Amino acid sequence: MSISAPRTGPRPPADRRAFVRTTLDLGDVLLRPWGREAAESDTVLDGLVAAAADPMVALWNPFPATDRSEALAWLDSRDAGWDRGAGASFAVLTATDGTLLGSVTLRWVDRADGLAMIGYWIQPAARGRGVATRATAAVTDWAFRTADARRIEIAHAVGNEASCRVAHRCGYLPEGTLRDSHRFGDGAYHDEHLHARLATDPQPAAGVHVDMPGP
């Protein structure tokens, strides 16, 4: 994996736990910071609208993007997170033509303590190819190496078994069940499985591909 920083854009807060806009190159897949620059591509905007309407994304990881204007507002919120160094939201794109495959978002839960949380969603056409696992693992490693993250958590609905598999494959160990923890896209509160990975944990085995129907 190679890492490159953009040449332009707002400078984040100068502290060791700031997420700094970076592109992660996985070869056939690129992870690029979400933000207003993505609005230059109608294809990406339309991809966001399509993803928000997908039943699995709408259930397990809903976000407001029923049209291009809402997608733009969502991109503005991603930009704001990067500007503060508090959130790192990546578009997962094909390296060849920039097709939108999904998204990975990392945010501080307790910045002073080095505690963060990560989440992800994948477009239907990209599922079953290990994209979520590779992207999540790459962002996890990047946060440990460059932002002094101490602990990163994944919380997913108990019913979202695919997300659970991704967490395991990325080295996030199960730590228990959170009862009625989060209200999901169906309007109901669901129990969640909590997984976590520490900066001191060993690297998980590489090269694992999983089916990824959600979130």
Side-chain angles (χ1 to χ4, degrees), residues 143-161:
F144 285 143
R145 288 186 290 105
T146 69
D148 196 31
R150 179 186 63 84
R151 171 185 165 95
I152 304 176
E153 297 178 346
I154 292 175
H156 65 82
V158 170
N160 190 350
E161 296 179 359

Side-chain angles (χ1 to χ4, degrees), residues 50-63 121 127 184-187 215:
D54 175 72
M56 298 306 294
V57 174
L59 174 60
W60 298 130
N61 206 335
F63 64 98
W121 53 259
R127 293 168 189 165
F184 285 86
D186 58 0

